[in-house]
Amino acid sequence: MKQYLELCQRIVDEGTWIENKRTGKRCLTVINAELNYNVGDNEFPMITTRKSYWKAAIAELLGYIRGYDNAADFRSIGCNTWNANANDNDAWLNNPHRKGEDDMGRVYGVQGRSWAKPDGGFVDQLKKLVDDLSNGIDDRGEILSFYNPGEFHMGCLRPCMHTHTFSLLGDTLYLTSYQRSCDVPLGLNFNQVQVFVLLALIAQITGNKAGRAYHKIVNAHIYEDQLELMRDEQLKRKPFASPKLIINPKIKSLEDLETWVTMDDFEIEGYECHPPIAYPFSV
Ligand SMILES: Nc1nc(=O)c2c([nH]1)NC[C@@H]1CN(c3ccc(C(=O)N[C@@H](CCC(=O)O)C(=O)O)cc3)CN21
Ligand SMILES: O=c1ccn([C@H]2C[C@H](O)[C@@H](COP(=O)(O)O)O2)c(=O)[nH]1
């Protein structure tokens, strides 16, 4: 929580105003932020200075793990975050690759689970790394990358958190996650939870211990219509202690994650937070 608030304060104090063409809004922006989370000691990085919709964040991650390409599938597991990008952005609505209502195209999990090979067929990056890590193998290329410039025109948004690299030292698993663009008031709230849970889940299903997760962000910003709420409201509040995350220990394989896991398999213990703040969202 401290690192999150420090980043917010840094943007407020040192940020540069940058015009963003896609959203038509200005963003107060800094370059380079490095966060890290102690997954081994279960220090769950949930925001406490406002209510956090942590289950929606985990549901979004589960959708990526399953390779979902449709906002309706995300909604069905408790995540509403893709409705706007799938259905309310003019550039995507007019894109000939859009397959109709709720289609997101070839984004995120689609690339993670079925990256199209030029010579035909698909690569399942997630299955490869789960198989390796389950067998104690780290070939120094245990990478899940959603960033496929050759198919950007076939999706509603380029991935923001685009690459996750896993590393095994003995039986302790580490994760380094890279993010090119970060909406700090809204997106980071979700992304911190996702980096933590991705390491916790992959460690659990591959039979390894979780170590630390390193989260590297390039462009970290606050949209102009979010600034007042962040500066004059959220940053005035005192954080509470981090809660603990409890994941159903019956989750033992990638197939479990793909088939029966729901948000009922995740609970938190000891979450105390300030009242909600509804930040504006930019499509
Ligand atoms: N401008 C923008 N910011 C983002 O963070 C973002 C995008 N676009 N597009 C793709 C995904 C979707 N993500 C989102 C979208 C919406 C919320 C959001 O509205 N969160 C609210 C309420 C969540 C709820 O009720 O479930 C929040 O207060 O956290 C969060 C992340 C993250 N990404
Ligand atoms: O997981 C996510 C997904 C998206 N975001 C934010 C970062 C930006 O504000 C927008 C994406 O806009 P681009 O013009 O494609 O950079 O969504 C996030 O913070 N986390």
Side-chain angles (χ1 to χ4, degrees):
M1 185 73 240
K2 190 162 163 274
Q3 24 178 10
Y4 179 79
L5 294 175
E6 280 171 2
L7 174 58
C8 296
Q9 192 65 56
R10 188 180 137 213
I11 299 174
V12 169
D13 294 341
E14 299 167 20
T16 302
W17 281 110
I18 301 292
E19 295 286 340
N20 178 253
K21 232 169 121 188
R22 195 182 63 77
T23 57
K25 291 188 193 167
R26 287 188 315 151
C27 293
L28 198 54
T29 306
V30 298
I31 299 301
N32 190 46
E34 304 208 16
L35 309 178
N36 74 81
Y37 317 116
N38 189 341
V39 184
D41 288 342
N42 200 358
E43 292 171 16
F44 192 39
M46 248 174 84
I47 302 303
T48 62
T49 47
R50 73 176 178 101
K51 185 171 185 223
S52 170
Y53 300 88
W54 63 281
K55 282 215 177 192
I58 299 180
E60 192 181 70
L61 175 69
L62 189 65
Y64 298 155
I65 288 173
R66 290 179 174 172
Y68 285 174
D69 68 352
N70 192 286
D73 290 337
F74 279 88
R75 281 198 298 280
S76 74
I77 56 171
C79 173
N80 289 315
T81 55
W82 282 96
N83 299 345
N85 287 111
N87 297 317
D88 295 339
N89 179 282
D90 284 340
W92 179 237
L93 292 176
N94 294 323
N95 185 315
H97 291 285
R98 185 172 179 269
K99 296 194 294 282
E101 180 81 6
D102 286 322
D103 184 38
M104 295 158 56
R106 292 192 55 82
V107 294
Y108 284 87
V110 176
Q111 302 296 348
R113 303 306 310 269
S114 54
W115 180 294
K117 292 202 282 185
D119 51 353
F122 296 93
V123 179
D124 185 344
Q125 301 175 65
L126 184 60
K127 181 152 188 346
K128 178 265 182 194
L129 73 85
V130 166
D131 286 347
D132 277 1
L133 299 172
S134 302
N135 291 304
I137 297 166
D138 170 0
D139 68 5
R140 300 191 284 199
E142 304 301 350
I143 297 175
L144 177 63
S145 178
F146 302 143
Y147 209 72
N148 185 349
E151 292 194 346
F152 283 165
H153 63 292
M154 299 167 85
C156 66
L157 195 72
R158 292 167 303 163
C160 291
M161 212 156 59
H162 55 82
T163 301
H164 301 279
T165 300
F166 291 87
S167 307
L168 201 53
L169 294 185
D171 61 355
T172 303
L173 190 63
Y174 296 82
L175 171 62
T176 308
S177 297
Y178 305 89
Q179 183 162 359
R180 66 170 177 86
S181 173
C182 182
D183 173 346
V184 172
L186 279 178
L188 187 51
N189 212 357
F190 274 47
N191 298 138
Q192 294 198 122
V193 165
Q194 291 166 342
V195 170
F196 183 100
V197 173
L198 182 61
L199 177 56
L201 279 175
I202 301 299
Q204 180 164 320
I205 66 171
T206 60
N208 290 295
K209 290 190 213 123
R212 271 187 185 269
Y214 301 95
H215 186 177
K216 299 179 188 294
I217 299 167
V218 178
N219 182 308
H221 51 262
I222 297 176
Y223 285 92
E224 56 187 324
D225 51 4
Q226 298 170 326
L227 181 61
E228 206 175 300
L229 282 171
M230 174 57 79
R231 186 188 54 212
D232 303 337
E233 194 63 50
Q234 195 170 356
L235 278 169
K236 297 265 187 292
R237 298 175 175 180
K238 263 189 89 133
F240 296 101
S242 292
K244 300 280 175 210
L245 175 71
I246 299 148
I247 301 179
N248 184 348
K250 294 202 177 103
I251 302 174
K252 291 205 185 305
S253 67
L254 186 53
E255 202 192 338
D256 292 343
L257 289 171
E258 289 164 349
T259 53
W260 56 262
V261 170
T262 69
M263 288 315 108
D264 294 341
D265 296 297
F266 301 87
E267 290 305 332
I268 41 167
E269 211 175 72
Y271 183 50
E272 206 180 339
C273 70
H274 289 270
I277 298 179
Y279 280 106
F281 176 79
S282 299
V283 187

